[in-house]
Amino acid sequence: MRWHLWAGLGLAAVAAGVLVGEQGGLWQVLSSTAKPGKQPGEVWLLPSNQLLKPWGTPVLMKGRPVDVCLSADQRLLAVLNWRGVEIYEAATGALVGEAKSRSTSYAGVAFRPGTREVWASEATRNGPDGILIATLDERGRVVKEERMALKPHPVPVGIAFSKDGGQAFVAFSRNNTLAVIDAGKRAVMKEVETGVAPFSVDVSQTAGKVFVSNRGGRKWQEGQTAAPTSGGRIAANPVTGSSASGTVTAVDLASHAAVEIGAGLAPAGLRVSPDGRTVAVANAHSDSVTLIDAASLKTREVKLPAWPAGTSGSIPAHAAWSPKGDALYVLLGGMNAAAVVRGGQVAGAMPTGWFPSGITVDGSGAVRVVCIKGVGSTDRGDGTFNSRAYEGMLQQMPAPDGAALAAGLREVRAANAPRMAKAGGIENLRALGIEHTFLIIKENRTYDQVFGAMGKGNGEPKLAIYGGDVTPNHQALASRYVLLDNFYTTSSISFDGHQWLMMAFVSDYTQRAFAASPRGYAWDMSDALTVSPAGFFWQGAPPSVTVRVFGEFCLPGRWNPERDSAEDIDKRALRSWTEYWRMYQEGKWQDQVGCSAAGLPALKPLMSTRYPQDDTVITDQIRASEFLRELGESEKSGRLANINILTLTSDHTNGTQPGSPVPKAMVADNDLAVGRIVEGISSSRFWKKSLILIVEDDAQDGLDHVDGHRTVALMVGPHVRRGAVDSNNYNQLSMIRTIQEIFRIPARTPWLKNARAMTSVFTAEADAKPYVCIPAQRKLDEMNPPLKALNGRRRWAAEESARMNWADVDDIPSDTLNRILWWDAKGYNEPYPALTSRSSPSRR
C-alpha cells in the first residue's frame, strides 16, 4: 500500500509541514476520548502516547522494514523488509523489484560494488541462516536469486564490502565474529573475533579498517554479574539486568588484527564518514552517538535528547553522514525522528514515521529513512483490524536548512509530549489509600472478541466469539465496575507486549526482530539485550514499596517440598494438559509445577518459586490455586506485597490441536481463574485497600472493528466506579502509570511520562462488597476431537493446529490461528470476517 510517490517534494513542503495546530501549540489539544489514528491537522495518534506527522512524502509498505541502502549510481534503493528485499526507484519511490525470503535479519542489506547484486541477511528462529543475493537488471527488477547457506545458526546482520567488491564483511551475531567472505566464490574465508552480538559493519579505506558495533559489548568475565543472551551470557547491570557495556571492534583490512573500543550501551547502526576519518555509532541504550577517530581510535560522545525532558529512551538506532561529512543524521527510534548533529551538538531534527531504523543519504543531501511501524495502521482493508497487519514506511526528505531544522526540533519535542483533555475523576490517587495492587496479565484477545456483544460500549457483535457463555466473570466484572471500550495495547505481539508492560520500553533490538526473533523470543526478558537501561517500572520506587511476581519472567521448574525450592526442568519434561488437569482435580499438582529461575537473574528475588511458568499445557486453575494459597499465608501473617504481578495464559488457546481442550474451554478456564482470584482478593483482609488491574499482553489473536491494538482491560476495587462505560483513551502504559502514581514511583521512560493515570475510573466513595465468582458455564476439559474423527475444514484446522509450535510462545502463524479460532467459535461454514462498515468513526 502506498500513499503516493515522491512527486514535487521540496523544502517548501517540509516547511509547510510544521505550520499546523492552534495558537500556543503545534497541534490541538486532543479529545480525552480520541482513538488511535488520524487526528485533526493530519497528525496520527499512536498507542504509545506519541503523535506523528512525518516530513517528506512517505511510501507505506506491508511488513516491517528495518534497513535501507542506495545503489552506487543512486538510482535504486534496496529495503530490507521482514519477508525479503524490495527495490525502489530512488527518484520516484516506485517499487520495481522484489526478492522474497522466509524471514530476514535485524539489519543487513548492501549493493555489491562493481556488480548488480544486492546482498541481504536472512535469519530464522533456530537456523539455518543465509545471505540472499539478488541480481538486478538495469531497471532494478530481480532477474536472479541465490542463497549462500550459513550453518548452523550464526545470525548474519550488517553487511559491507571492500572497495572493489571482492570481499564482503558480515557480522555474525551469535558467533561473536566478523565473517570475511569471498564475494565471488560465495565462501566464508575467515571469522574474526569481535565483542558480543556484532551488529553493524562499515569500511574505512582511508584508515584501512573494518568497523563493527557490538550490541553486548565485552565478553563476560568471571566475577562480573552475568545475564543470558541467546545461549550465552554477558556482563549485566546487577540491578536492572541490562547489558553493562557496548563496544566497537576495529579490524585491520590486511592483517585482520582486531582492537576493541569502548562505546555506549547497545551500539546499533554504524557509519564511516565520507572522508573515512570518523566513525559514528548510534548507542541505542545510552541515548548518544560515539564518534571514533578511525586512525587513532580515540572517542568522544554526543548526547541525544529524549522527550519529555528528564527521561531516557531516545533509542538511537542508526546514523548516516551528509555528502560533505559536515552533518550527521542519527535516527532516534524512540522519538520518531532523525536528529541532526553538527559541530558535536544537536542542531535540529526531522520528524519521521513510527520507529525509524534505517537511513541513507544521496549526493544531493536528500535523506531516505525506513520506519518499522509506519503510522501505526492495523487496518486489514476489509473493515476489520488486527495488530499483526504490519505496515512500514519509506520516506524521503531533502537536506533541511537551519530554520527547518529548528522547526523540526520543536515539532518532534511536541509530538513526544502530546496534550490531551483531562479524563476527570480522582486526580490524587494516593488519597484513596490503596496499598496493594494486583496486575493480572493475560494472552492475546481483542476487545470485540470478548466484549463486542455486551450491549453497551463501542462493540461489534459480529466479531464477538467469547461472550457471556464463555467469559461470564469478565462480563460481570465489566458490568459491575467499568467497561473500558477505548483501551489499547502498546504492543503487537507477546515479544513486545511483556516488555511494554514491565519496562515501558522496547529496544530497536526487539523491534527489528519480528521476522524471526533469531537470537530468541525473549518475551520473558531472558535476553539482557532486550532490557531497558532504566530497568523495570517499579525500580526507583520508595524503599518501602515491595514487589511480588507470579509467573512473569519464570523459567520452567518443579517445586521440591523437601528442599523448599524449585528445581530446573526442561520444557520437554512438561506433562500433557490432561495430566496437569487430573493432578489439579486430585489436588496433587503442588510438586509438579514451579519456577526454577527468572529469565533475568536480577529479578529472581522477587519471584514466587511455586507459581507455574507461562505456557498453555498447565491449566489456569493451578495458577489461581497457587496464588490463593500464598494469599492465604499473607492473611495469616498480615504481610502482602504492594505490587503483585500475575500471569494467566490459557486464553491463548492451543487452537484445535488434538489432545488439548477446545478453544472455548481454554478461554473459559482463564475466565474462571480470573473470577476465583478476584473473589479471593475481595474476600481477604486486604480488600479495602486493594486495586486489581487486568489486561492482555497483546491483541494479536483476533479482530477488532476499531483498531488492532484495542483489547480487554478491567479495573476492579472498592474505589472503582460502578456500572460505568469509560471511553477515555487509555492503554497498557496507563495501567502502569496508575500503579506508579499510587506508590509515587517516578516515570523514567518517555512513554510512561506521557501516559495518563486512569483517574476517571475511580471514585472517592468506597464500596467494599466482595465479588462472588461465577462458575464456568461449560466443561473446562472438553477436548478437541482426534484427527480420525474429522474431515473437511475441521480436519484442516486440527492438522494446522497440530503443526504449530505451542511450546514456544507465538511461534505460530497467527493469521491461520485467527481463522481457526473464528471457525471453531462460529461454525466452519461461517465466512471469515470482512466488515463493510464500522460503527466507530473512520481512523483514516
Side-chain angles (χ1 to χ4, degrees):
M1 178 185 294
R2 293 181 182 79
W3 279 350
H4 37 67
L5 304 184
W6 303 140
L9 178 66
L11 277 174
V14 172
V18 301
L19 299 177
V20 296
E22 59 172 19
Q23 288 186 346
L26 290 176
W27 294 294
Q28 296 177 2
V29 175
L30 296 173
S31 165
S32 184
T33 59
K35 296 176 177 63
K38 198 171 184 179
Q39 309 295 319
E42 298 294 310
V43 62
W44 277 261
L45 173 64
L46 302 178
S48 57
N49 307 319
Q50 296 168 294
L51 294 174
L52 280 184
K53 191 175 179 67
W55 276 9
T57 309
V59 172
L60 294 176
M61 61 184 73
K62 294 299 181 184
R64 292 175 67 94
V66 294
D67 206 353
V68 62
C69 64
L70 188 65
S71 62
D73 60 11
Q74 303 195 355
R75 292 191 306 109
L76 299 173
L77 291 165
V79 174
L80 186 67
N81 209 334
W82 77 322
R83 295 288 184 256
V85 177
E86 297 169 359
I87 310 300
Y88 292 84
E89 287 184 350
T92 67
L95 178 67
V96 293
E98 182 178 10
K100 293 186 177 181
S101 170
R102 176 184 172 189
S103 55
T104 58
S105 189
Y106 297 93
V109 62
F111 285 90
R112 181 186 171 197
T115 73
R116 290 178 178 166
E117 295 175 2
V118 176
W119 287 41
S121 289
E122 295 183 305
T124 59
R125 179 72 66 95
N126 298 303
D129 308 317
I131 302 293
L132 168 62
I133 303 171
T135 302
L136 313 180
D137 66 12
E138 290 185 357
R139 291 183 56 188
R141 295 174 298 191
V142 176
V143 295
K144 181 181 179 182
E145 290 185 24
E146 303 171 68
R147 277 175 174 80
M148 178 180 167
L150 302 172
K151 296 182 179 181
H153 187 33
V155 184
V157 190
I159 301 173
F161 287 95
S162 59
K163 186 176 182 179
D164 63 2
Q167 291 185 333
F169 305 100
V170 182
F172 279 4
S173 179
R174 291 189 82 248
N175 287 11
N176 299 331
T177 61
L178 174 70
V180 182
I181 297 175
D182 185 313
K185 295 180 179 179
R186 318 299 207 223
V188 177
M189 301 163 55
K190 185 175 185 178
E191 291 187 46
V192 181
E193 283 197 21
T194 63
V196 177
F199 188 85
S200 186
V201 184
D202 205 359
V203 177
S204 169
Q205 295 292 338
T206 303
K209 297 182 180 73
V210 184
F211 290 89
V212 187
S213 61
N214 302 308
R215 296 285 308 208
R218 293 185 173 84
K219 291 182 172 63
W220 175 83
Q221 295 181 351
E222 198 70 41
Q224 293 179 319
T225 300
T229 178
S230 196
R233 52 187 176 180
I234 61 173
N237 183 301
V239 176
T240 65
S242 60
S243 58
S245 72
T247 62
V248 171
T249 300
V251 179
D252 187 90
L253 277 170
S255 67
H256 296 152
V259 177
E260 200 164 9
I261 310 150
L265 297 176
L270 170 152
R271 281 294 176 265
V272 173
S273 61
D275 62 8
R277 295 179 179 178
T278 307
V279 184
V281 57
N283 301 313
H285 290 187
S286 285
D287 288 4
S288 70
V289 59
T290 297
L291 301 176
I292 305 171
D293 185 295
S296 69
L297 304 184
K298 291 182 179 179
T299 66
R300 59 192 176 100
E301 186 177 49
V302 177
K303 295 299 291 183
L304 300 167
W307 296 282
T311 61
S312 62
S314 62
I315 313 182
H318 215 317
W321 295 89
S322 64
K324 295 181 180 179
D326 57 347
L328 176 67
Y329 301 95
V330 184
L331 296 183
L332 305 183
M335 299 290 98
N336 308 322
V340 183
V341 177
R342 285 190 174 134
Q345 295 182 341
V346 176
M350 299 183 291
T352 68
W354 193 3
F355 216 101
S357 59
I359 182 170
T360 187
V361 182
D362 69 17
S364 73
V367 179
R368 274 88 170 187
V369 173
V370 290
C371 304
I372 295 175
K373 299 195 283 186
V375 292
S377 174
T378 58
D379 192 343
R380 295 174 64 246
D382 60 6
T384 64
F385 297 78
N386 177 262
S387 70
R388 294 186 65 152
Y390 298 138
E391 187 176 75
M393 177 190 291
L394 169 65
Q395 65 184 114
Q396 182 190 38
M397 299 171 281
D401 61 21
L405 284 179
L409 187 60
R410 290 193 298 271
E411 190 169 341
V412 170
R413 186 184 295 116
N416 284 284
R419 298 170 300 153
M420 188 170 279
K422 288 188 176 183
I426 304 297
E427 293 290 334
N428 182 8
L429 297 184
R430 285 288 297 171
L432 297 176
I434 296 170
E435 296 181 359
H436 307 286
T437 60
F438 303 84
L439 175 63
I440 301 176
I441 303 170
K442 301 172 350 81
E443 289 287 328
N444 300 12
R445 302 274 69 87
T446 68
Y447 177 94
D448 274 339
Q449 281 184 308
V450 178
F451 293 144
M454 278 279 287
K456 59 180 180 179
N458 184 8
E460 173 52 72
K462 293 179 182 179
L463 298 180
I465 59 177
Y466 301 126
D469 61 324
V470 180
T471 58
N473 286 290
H474 282 73
Q475 309 292 317
L477 290 168
S479 295
R480 178 171 175 176
Y481 293 96
V482 178
L483 176 63
L484 299 163
D485 71 346
N486 197 18
F487 187 102
Y488 303 88
T489 67
T490 321
S491 60
S492 297
I493 58 177
S494 294
F495 195 2
D496 63 330
H498 289 266
Q499 295 180 27
W500 278 119
L501 282 165
M502 294 296 100
M503 301 183 296
F505 175 96
V506 178
S507 173
D508 70 304
Y509 174 81
T510 297
Q511 297 286 10
R512 295 172 184 273
F514 276 42
S517 306
R519 287 182 60 95
Y521 193 76
W523 60 275
D524 57 0
M525 264 56 78
S526 57
D527 186 345
L529 297 184
T530 68
V531 178
S532 166
F536 295 84
F537 77 81
W538 59 84
Q539 292 179 329
S544 60
V545 175
T546 56
V547 180
R548 183 71 164 160
V549 178
F550 300 85
E552 188 77 13
F553 317 115
C554 181
L555 299 183
R558 200 171 277 157
W559 176 254
N560 186 327
E562 295 179 358
R563 296 184 179 179
D564 198 35
S565 65
E567 298 174 343
D568 184 40
I569 62 170
D570 191 280
K571 277 190 175 182
R572 290 171 293 187
L574 292 172
R575 299 175 183 269
S576 69
W577 187 93
T578 303
E579 289 178 285
Y580 284 115
W581 178 252
R582 176 182 55 79
M583 287 186 286
Y584 165 68
Q585 289 183 308
E586 296 175 354
K588 298 178 180 178
W589 52 268
Q590 290 83 352
D591 60 353
Q592 297 299 312
V593 299
C595 179
S596 64
L600 199 65
L603 301 179
K604 186 174 182 179
L606 306 178
M607 301 183 64
S608 163
T609 54
R610 299 181 65 170
Y611 195 89
Q613 78 281 356
D614 289 346
D615 60 36
T616 54
V617 297
I618 299 174
T619 169
D620 275 347
Q621 301 314 303
I622 289 179
R623 294 184 174 90
S625 294
E626 173 52 33
F627 171 78
L628 293 173
R629 183 201 64 77
E630 186 164 315
L631 180 64
E633 291 185 352
S634 295
E635 281 271 20
K636 296 174 184 177
S637 67
R639 295 189 298 272
L640 178 68
N642 302 111
I643 299 173
N644 298 272
I645 300 167
L646 298 78
T647 54
L648 297 174
T649 57
S650 289
D651 61 335
H652 185 288
T653 83
N654 287 327
T656 56
Q657 176 184 232
S660 289
V662 299
K664 284 187 175 181
M666 295 194 74
V667 177
D669 177 24
N670 177 269
D671 176 80
L672 180 60
V674 168
R676 291 177 60 201
I677 289 171
V678 173
E679 179 182 80
I681 296 169
S682 71
S683 302
S684 74
R685 64 191 291 181
F686 309 106
W687 175 235
K688 291 183 179 180
K689 296 183 178 181
S690 291
L691 173 67
I692 304 171
L693 311 93
I694 304 169
V695 70
E696 307 287 322
D697 71 323
D698 62 68
Q700 65 173 305
D701 286 343
L703 303 175
D704 193 88
H705 82 286
V706 174
D707 188 279
H709 298 101
R710 196 168 69 134
T711 196
V712 174
L714 295 165
M715 299 283 277
V716 179
H719 282 284
V720 176
R721 294 165 61 201
R722 301 302 173 107
V725 175
D726 191 325
S727 297
N728 283 290
N729 181 300
Y730 291 131
N731 56 32
Q732 290 173 324
L733 300 175
S734 304
M735 277 195 168
I736 303 306
R737 190 75 193 109
T738 300
I739 296 172
Q740 290 191 321
E741 286 288 303
I742 289 169
F743 297 113
R744 294 180 179 169
I745 302 172
R748 299 194 286 186
T749 70
W751 306 280
L752 274 180
K753 192 79 170 180
N754 281 334
R756 301 191 301 167
M758 299 173 68
T759 58
S760 62
V761 308
F762 295 101
T763 177
E765 297 180 2
D767 181 347
K769 181 181 178 181
Y771 177 75
V772 178
C773 176
I774 301 173
Q777 305 298 293
R778 59 188 313 115
K779 289 179 61 178
L780 302 187
D781 59 349
E782 179 186 352
M783 305 301 286
N784 289 313
L787 282 176
K788 64 183 180 182
L790 302 172
N791 53 49
R793 186 175 278 175
R794 284 181 174 84
R795 185 179 179 93
W796 167 86
E799 290 173 339
E800 289 295 315
S801 296
R803 276 193 282 267
M804 295 178 187
N805 180 18
W806 301 104
D808 197 345
V809 174
D810 289 345
D811 187 20
I812 53 176
S814 181
D815 196 50
T816 300
L817 177 61
N818 286 344
R819 282 169 164 75
I820 290 171
L821 296 180
W822 172 263
W823 284 318
D824 173 77
K826 293 285 193 177
Y828 282 85
N829 294 321
E830 183 73 14
Y832 192 61
L835 300 178
T836 57
S837 63
R838 301 191 298 273
S839 58
S840 61
S842 176
R843 292 178 64 236
R844 53 182 63 93

